[in-house]
Structure formats: C-alpha cells, structure tokens
C-alpha cells in the first residue's frame, strides 16, 4: 500500500506514477529476469515457513509506505520466491521465461480487461477466436468451439461435465436425482487432484487396476464390472472380455443395469 503523497493518481501527478513503475520494472529486470535466469544464482533462497514469516513483513496496514519501502519489498518478494526461469528449475507443469510472453502479460495486465463480451475486449476476443481456430485445426476440426482452462484438474472436470451432458442433454433441467446412477471408470493410478471431480458431478467412481499408468483397456474393466454385478448374477465370464466385444457388451450392460458409464463407454 502507498499513501497519496508518494503514489498519486494519474490525474494528480502522472510523472510520479511513471517514475514508480519504471523503478519497479527495473527491479524486475535486475532481480527476476537477469539474476533469476542465471545459473550462478540460486533457484530459490529457501526458508522454512516460520523463518520466512520473520523475514517478511506481511502486515496489512491502513497507512501507505514510501517508494523506497515499496521497492525493497519488491526485491524481498523476488529474493525468496522460486525462479521458474532458472536453468536448473524443473517442474512437471511449467518452467522458463519468454521475454515476448512477458511483454504480452504487461500489456494485458495494464489494460486489465476481461473477455466477457466484444464490447469490453474487442481485440482480445478476436485473438481468442483465432487461437481456438488454430487449436481445432491441429486436431483436424474445421469448426466448433473451445474454452481455455487454467489447469489439469478443472480440465478433467469440464470433460466429465461434457460427457454427462452428451449422455443426458436435459440433465440440467431434470436434475441429477432424476437420472439413473452414473458411473465413471478410471485407472487406479489416477492423480489425487482428479478424484474429487466425479464426486461433484456423478456421485459414483470405480477404480480399475491397470498395467500401465497411461493406459486403460476395455478388458481392464472386467474385474470391476464382473465382481460388482456379473459374476454374482452369472451373466458374464471374464474369459471373453476382449477388444470390440467388450465395447458392445458394455453398451448392452449399461442399458440393462440402468447404470450408464459416461461417454465414450455408453
């Protein structure tokens, strides 16, 4: 936070605002970009939580601070943060610093708009449409729509929700209680962050043990399905769970049980 004398509004003293932003960006270039991408520097000045709390002043005050204090806080934040652009930083989801992408982020943050409608974000709406068109073309689609997802967990939740709508287009009007019980078959190794998704959307989730972390074959469903219903009722034998026969049989079973797994199984 900053007081009005140090950081005035644009209408009051735009020169002071420009000076502050240039100083802050100088800190970012020096500490986050140059040092943060240098192999001679640490990926992170690591501190345990209790120790870091003592080094950081996180109190929210009602009074502002001077520009010098603000710049020092910027340096402190960068110093004790993980430098994802560091050549020795490795993560399963992201890494690296692209100067062109950073320039784009500066523009979007400065404009501070949202893509609700064309009226509020004309340029970005057209850019979004073009990016989605290109992504569809990469998978061979000439038309369609799309949505950008902030992460893998919500992406999987969107997929489950779409599968439910594909199977029951009127589920929103009818309500979940009026639908047959829905089932979702997943590998036992599915990530923990994905497990809450079925609970929010379909209530029933069955884990299947598979030989591969990335492969779920039709006949891997045999133990789960047969043990739960088929073997007790004597309707099916695990010996014939193979290939397309499994696909066809699952479709029949889904209808006879009134427990339809989500698309593409049914």
């Amino acid at each position: 936070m900053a007081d009005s004398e140090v950081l005035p509004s644009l209408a009051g003293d735009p020169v002071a605002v420009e000076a502050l932003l240039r100083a802050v960006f100088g800190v970012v270039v020096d500490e986050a970009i140059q040092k943060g991408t240098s192999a001679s520097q640490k990926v992170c000045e690591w501190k345990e939580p209790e120790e870091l709390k003592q080094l950081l002043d996180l109190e929210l005050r009602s009074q502002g601070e001077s520009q010098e204090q603000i710049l020092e806080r910027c340096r402190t934040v960068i110093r004790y943060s993980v430098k994802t652009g560091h050549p020795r930083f490795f993560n399963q989801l992201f890494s690296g610093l692209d100067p062109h992408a950073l320039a784009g982020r500066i523009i979007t943050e400065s404009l501070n708009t949202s893509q609700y409608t064309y009226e509020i974000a004309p340029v970005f709406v057209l850019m979004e449409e073009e990016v989605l068109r290109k992504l569809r073309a990469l998978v061979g689609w000439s038309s369609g729509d799309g949505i950008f997802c902030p992460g893998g967990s919500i992406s999987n939740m969107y997929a489950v929700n779409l599968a439910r709508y594909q199977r029951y287009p009127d589920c929103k009007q009818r309500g979940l209680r009026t639908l047959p019980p829905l089932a979702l078959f997943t590998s036992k190794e599915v990530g923990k962050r994905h497990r809450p998704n079925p609970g929010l959307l379909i209530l029933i989730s069955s884990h299947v043990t598979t030989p591969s972390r990335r492969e779920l074959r039709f006949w891997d469903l045999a133990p789960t399905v047969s043990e739960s219903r088929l073997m007790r009722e004597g309707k099916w034998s695990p010996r014939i769970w193979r290939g397309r026969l499994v696909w066809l049989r699952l479709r029949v079973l889904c209808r006879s049980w009134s427990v339809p797994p989500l698309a593409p199984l049914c």
Side-chain angles (χ1 to χ4, degrees):
M1 300 177 66
D3 56 45
S4 59
E5 294 182 359
V6 178
L7 184 59
S9 65
L10 290 175
D13 189 356
V15 176
V17 174
E18 180 182 347
L20 173 66
L21 295 178
R22 289 185 180 277
V24 170
F25 191 67
V27 172
V28 172
V29 172
D30 294 338
E31 302 295 331
I33 299 178
Q34 294 183 351
K35 292 182 180 179
T37 59
S38 174
S40 63
Q41 302 291 323
K42 293 182 178 180
V43 175
C44 178
E45 190 72 33
W46 181 258
K47 303 293 181 183
E48 294 300 321
E50 294 303 321
E51 183 181 1
L52 188 57
K53 288 180 182 178
Q54 300 300 320
L55 296 172
L56 300 176
D57 185 358
L58 302 176
E59 180 183 354
L60 297 176
R61 300 182 177 86
S62 58
Q63 301 296 322
E65 296 181 332
S66 67
Q67 178 170 320
E68 289 73 21
Q69 289 174 307
I70 293 175
L71 294 177
E72 184 57 33
R73 292 189 184 281
C74 292
R75 296 187 184 94
T76 302
V77 169
I78 296 173
R79 177 181 179 183
Y80 294 111
S81 295
V82 177
K83 317 304 187 299
T84 61
H86 195 283
R88 294 196 176 96
F89 172 80
F90 300 97
N91 188 277
Q92 72 276 14
L93 298 177
F94 61 90
S95 67
L97 173 65
D98 184 87
H100 303 91
L102 179 59
R105 290 289 298 273
I106 292 173
I107 294 175
T108 56
E109 292 298 322
S110 300
L111 293 173
N112 192 30
T113 187
S114 296
Q115 294 172 241
Y116 302 136
T117 62
Y118 178 81
E119 287 76 13
I120 193 62
V123 176
F124 294 135
V125 166
L126 295 180
M127 291 173 62
E128 182 182 53
E129 289 183 351
E130 177 60 22
V131 172
L132 291 174
R133 185 199 65 79
K134 182 64 175 180
L135 291 175
R136 292 194 300 268
L138 291 176
V139 296
W141 296 345
S142 59
S143 63
D145 205 342
I147 186 172
F148 291 100
C149 305
S153 296
I154 197 169
S155 299
N156 282 277
M157 182 178 291
Y158 287 164
V160 174
N161 190 40
L162 287 172
R164 182 179 63 175
Y165 269 95
Q166 192 275 337
R167 185 65 177 85
Y168 292 103
D170 59 346
C171 63
K172 185 175 181 180
Q173 288 74 27
R174 294 173 56 189
L176 188 60
R177 290 177 60 87
T178 65
L179 304 179
L182 303 178
L184 176 66
F185 293 99
T186 64
S187 170
K188 187 177 181 180
E189 290 81 10
V190 67
K192 291 183 178 180
R193 67 179 186 273
H194 303 315
R195 292 177 184 174
N197 297 343
L200 293 175
L201 296 172
I202 64 172
L203 303 182
I204 300 176
S205 178
S206 298
H207 295 302
V208 181
T209 301
T210 63
S212 171
R213 298 176 66 93
R214 297 182 179 273
E215 181 182 7
L216 180 60
R217 299 174 298 185
F218 289 126
W219 49 87
D220 293 323
L221 298 174
T224 299
V225 179
S226 62
E227 290 175 9
S228 61
R229 292 292 298 271
L230 292 181
M231 299 308 294
R232 291 199 305 269
E233 299 176 4
K235 294 181 179 180
W236 199 245
S237 169
R239 292 176 300 175
I240 53 177
W241 285 85
R242 290 295 184 271
R244 181 168 174 79
L245 183 59
V246 174
W247 170 271
L248 296 174
R249 187 59 177 170
L250 276 175
R251 295 178 64 88
V252 175
L253 294 174
C254 289
R255 297 189 184 96
S256 62
W257 292 353
S258 296
V259 182
L262 294 177
L265 294 183
C266 288

